[in-house]
Amino acid sequence: MNTDDMDKSQIAAVLQILKRYNLRGTEELLRREANIASSLGDGSLQQNSDVSSVLTGYKSDGDPETYEDSYMELKRFVENSLDIYKHELGMILYPVLVHMYLELVYNGHTEKAINLMKKFGPEQDPYYQEDLRKLSLVTKRDHMNGNELTDTFKSNQFIIRMSRDTLSLLKRHLNDKKASVLLNIIQEHLYFDMYEGVARNKSQIDATSGAVGGEAKRQDNKTKVYYGIPKAPDIQSLAAPVEDEEEGGEQDNPDKPKKKKAKKDPLFSKKTKNDPNAPPTDRIPVPDLKDNDKLEKIKAYREASKRVTLGPEYLPSVCCYTLLNANYTVTCAEITEDSSMLAVGFSDSIVKVWTLVPQKLKSMKTAEQLQDVNVDAEDVLARMMDERSGETSRSLYGHAGTVNSVSFSPDRSLLLSCSEDTTIRLWSLQIWTCLVVYKGHMFPVWDVKFSPLGYYFASTSYDRTARLWATDHYQPLRLFAGHFSDVDCVQFHPNSNYVATGSSDRRVCLWDCTSGNHRVRSVSGVGGGRL
């Protein structure tokens, strides 16, 4: 195919895309600009304008006999280089092998591709072996369509961080050898994130290598992150006990009713300093704490102050629980922060909650019975529960697939669960029923987590995205897209301003909840991918 034919084919491919999405105005403007008649766009040009072939980026004019020799020459150059440059130069061997293999497969040279992979595949780093095994199953052009790995390599440049001196050495070698196959692959499919300084050694490279798309760019990790914890809201007013006035005042006027005054609580007497790295308290909107929530926090603070500092003399205690007679596979489990309840998800789509303390799991009274409850009583919440309904376990039914993750709200009144059925469910632990079914993911949902502040929660899915939700919204507030494979797990930063996700692409990403689809940190490496 000559240059003119290639240009026409590319233009026709764009015209097909515009027509597919019914962008008629843009299509007509492009036809006039390119001087292409309307009849040609659907006729003679279409036979040379397969959209996938034009946009794939793989050339069809390479001699299949030269691929193995070119790779061997590149490998020899890397091995014969000085030790200071050898390890950084070696990073290009894996992506070049992958793109050579895919280019041979795309152009129908299956036997050459298989031989190339068998000869050089086992030499690659261990963390790439699973991907190479999957790629070796792609032996025809049709196999590349819709394949997760091939789509990632075709549509994204493999990122390699390299020093200026190492990159200069590589460029001189490529220019001297004039290997068109190598030059095409490196220019089109590799991105060199150049830095000034001494080339890295093997251990430094291994610490950041291993992700499907290569290393993280340095500029991806320069955004300011508020990693501190905001100052806790003032809850001392509810916590302060009272004492009588001084005795002298009472003796002067014994008939005067005794006045009460607040006594300083030693737990809150110490002033907490503002963390300069903490985000502003109003950076993300959060509902005001209710009095009951404040009392729960005070209780948690008191318990935390009594904890023993762990060490060689004070080892942590361990409590083990065993599920007996489980008819189906246990797929996930979580215990509340105060160790009072255990939630377990099963492969038969059931969620079950157990109590781990003597108090049983009670249900709220009926609407008729609640009318008789004194709402002004201090223990109104306890009076709302039906004492006769207490049970040691409760089963929650509603999902239509394997339950992959469960998460308790900080106040232990709600439970989240996500499933293979693509939905997330919010359960009430007071009336023991489903309150909301959240639908947004189009594929199985792998993980779900409540924010430390409550109200917000995050989910991850097979659809390569993570999403931020609020309990009172049916639709997600934020969609975090950027991973090349399943997003397997999620965790909130303690200040709830950021969400961290781990993916099968062997990367961990940190997302800013306030600015939407904005990745503030990207960590690549062998250990990346699970939180």
Side-chain angles (χ1 to χ4, degrees):
M1 182 183 292
N2 59 35
T3 305
D4 293 338
D5 291 337
M6 177 62 75
D7 292 341
K8 290 180 181 179
S9 180
Q10 291 176 343
I11 293 173
V14 175
L15 288 173
Q16 284 189 47
I17 295 175
L18 294 174
K19 185 174 182 179
R20 181 185 303 173
Y21 292 100
N22 201 28
L23 301 174
R24 296 178 181 177
T26 308
E27 180 186 357
E28 290 301 321
L29 287 174
L30 179 58
R31 288 184 188 278
R32 289 199 297 269
E33 187 73 21
N35 199 19
I36 297 176
S38 178
S39 60
L40 292 178
D42 301 325
S44 60
L45 278 178
Q46 189 165 345
Q47 60 187 2
N48 297 322
S49 63
D50 181 8
V51 176
S52 60
S53 66
V54 170
L55 301 182
T56 186
Y58 290 121
K59 306 297 182 182
S60 58
D61 55 356
D63 183 0
E65 301 294 336
T66 63
Y67 281 73
E68 185 173 327
D69 293 337
S70 296
Y71 189 84
M72 181 61 78
E73 179 65 31
L74 178 64
K75 180 186 172 186
R76 193 179 299 115
F77 161 71
V78 171
E79 292 175 345
N80 294 334
S81 299
L82 295 175
D83 289 345
I84 191 174
Y85 304 121
K86 181 186 299 185
H87 301 300
E88 279 197 341
L89 289 172
M91 291 190 295
I92 71 171
L93 293 176
Y94 169 70
V96 167
L97 175 64
V98 169
H99 285 291
M100 278 187 170
Y101 177 81
L102 294 177
E103 198 164 292
L104 287 170
V105 170
Y106 178 80
N107 293 314
H109 308 299
T110 302
E111 185 177 350
K112 293 289 184 183
I114 293 175
N115 292 336
L116 184 73
M117 183 64 74
K118 284 183 177 179
K119 186 171 183 179
F120 300 109
E123 301 175 355
Q124 306 305 314
D125 290 311
Y127 37 76
Y128 292 132
Q129 292 302 318
E130 180 61 21
D131 290 344
L132 291 175
R133 186 191 65 78
K134 294 178 181 179
L135 284 172
S136 64
L137 302 177
V138 179
T139 56
K140 294 183 180 180
R141 182 189 294 191
D142 293 340
H143 296 169
M144 299 172 66
N145 296 330
N147 184 284
E148 181 181 283
L149 272 176
T150 59
D151 286 348
T152 298
F153 280 107
K154 285 191 300 182
S155 57
N156 298 276
Q157 290 183 313
F158 193 91
I159 301 170
I160 298 175
R161 195 178 302 172
M162 190 172 286
S163 68
R164 179 184 293 275
D165 293 341
T166 308
L167 186 57
S168 300
L169 186 65
L170 175 62
K171 288 181 177 179
R172 284 198 300 270
H173 170 75
L174 294 176
N175 291 332
D176 292 343
K177 296 299 179 181
K178 297 181 180 179
S180 60
V181 172
L182 281 176
L183 282 171
N184 288 335
I185 289 176
I186 290 175
Q187 290 175 356
E188 295 185 15
H189 300 292
L190 271 62
Y191 174 87
F192 293 99
D193 187 17
M194 188 185 68
Y195 67 92
E196 302 288 346
V198 181
R200 296 176 293 166
N201 56 36
K202 180 64 174 174
S203 60
Q204 291 173 320
I205 292 171
D206 285 341
T208 57
S209 299
V212 172
E215 301 180 77
K217 296 180 182 177
R218 288 174 300 142
Q219 55 263 37
D220 291 344
N221 296 323
K222 291 185 176 180
T223 306
K224 179 178 174 58
V225 173
Y226 297 100
Y227 55 83
I229 308 298
K231 187 177 180 180
D234 184 19
I235 57 177
Q236 184 177 357
S237 57
L238 288 177
V242 295
E243 64 176 4
D244 296 340
E245 281 191 331
E246 295 180 0
E247 295 181 359
E250 296 175 2
Q251 293 175 353
D252 296 339
N253 191 358
D255 297 331
K256 188 176 181 180
K258 297 179 180 180
K259 292 183 179 180
K260 304 288 185 178
K261 68 176 182 179
K263 179 182 178 181
K264 291 185 178 179
D265 191 328
L267 180 65
F268 299 95
S269 59
K270 295 181 180 180
K271 293 184 178 180
T272 57
K273 295 181 179 180
N274 290 324
D275 189 339
N277 298 307
T281 54
D282 59 349
R283 191 169 186 266
I284 57 172
V286 179
D288 294 333
L289 287 176
K290 300 177 183 177
D291 288 349
N292 185 62
D293 296 330
K294 293 181 179 180
L295 291 174
E296 287 291 333
K297 283 188 174 292
I298 294 169
K299 182 180 177 181
Y301 287 150
R302 294 192 189 281
E303 291 179 353
S305 65
K306 298 176 183 178
R307 289 177 181 171
V308 177
T309 303
L310 298 178
E313 298 180 359
Y314 300 98
L315 298 177
S317 58
V318 177
C319 192
C320 298
Y321 297 95
T322 303
L323 294 178
L324 300 176
N325 303 321
N327 296 327
Y328 294 88
T329 304
V330 174
T331 52
C332 57
E334 178 160 313
I335 297 177
T336 55
E337 190 174 353
D338 65 350
S339 302
S340 61
M341 287 186 289
L342 165 68
V344 178
F346 294 88
S347 59
D348 63 345
S349 74
I350 295 175
V351 179
K352 203 165 184 179
V353 182
W354 279 272
T355 178
L356 303 179
V357 292
Q359 290 79 14
K360 293 186 177 181
L361 303 176
K362 302 171 186 176
S363 181
M364 191 176 290
K365 294 179 179 178
T366 63
E368 292 79 7
Q369 293 172 330
L370 288 175
Q371 293 178 356
D372 300 329
V373 175
N374 181 10
V375 295
D376 296 326
E378 293 183 358
D379 59 343
V380 61
L381 293 178
R383 296 188 182 192
M384 293 171 62
M385 309 308 292
D386 187 354
E387 296 292 335
R388 297 170 298 176
S389 65
E391 298 181 11
T392 57
S393 66
R394 295 270 185 171
S395 296
L396 304 173
Y397 301 92
H399 281 298
T402 300
V403 180
N404 294 319
S405 181
V406 289
S407 178
F408 284 102
S409 63
D411 62 1
R412 304 179 302 284
S413 65
L414 300 170
L415 177 70
L416 284 168
S417 63
C418 64
S419 170
E420 193 178 15
D421 64 9
T422 75
T423 67
I424 304 165
R425 286 179 177 263
L426 181 69
W427 309 88
S428 169
L429 302 185
Q430 295 175 332
I431 59 177
W432 302 101
T433 189
C434 181
L435 301 177
V436 189
V437 179
Y438 301 97
K439 298 179 180 179
H441 291 289
M442 303 302 293
F443 292 92
V445 186
W446 298 136
D447 196 15
V448 66
K449 281 288 188 304
F450 252 116
S451 160
L453 299 176
Y455 184 63
Y456 296 106
F457 64 93
S459 62
T460 63
S461 171
Y462 177 79
D463 61 12
R464 309 183 193 181
T465 67
R467 301 177 190 231
L468 179 71
W469 310 72
T471 51
D472 58 356
H473 286 69
Y474 289 106
Q475 298 298 324
L477 306 178
R478 298 284 186 267
L479 189 149
F480 306 121
H483 282 292
F484 298 138
S485 188
D486 298 30
V487 187
D488 301 314
C489 51
V490 64
Q491 188 63 269
F492 273 92
H493 190 282
N495 64 25
S496 294
N497 281 248
Y498 303 94
V499 169
T501 56
S503 170
S504 295
D505 65 7
R506 299 188 293 278
R507 284 193 306 160
V508 174
C509 293
L510 187 69
W511 311 85
D512 190 345
C513 295
T514 61
S515 58
N517 187 17
H518 183 59
R519 186 170 61 239
V520 294
R521 290 291 183 273
S522 180
V523 181
S524 58
V526 183
R530 301 301 299 182
L531 294 181

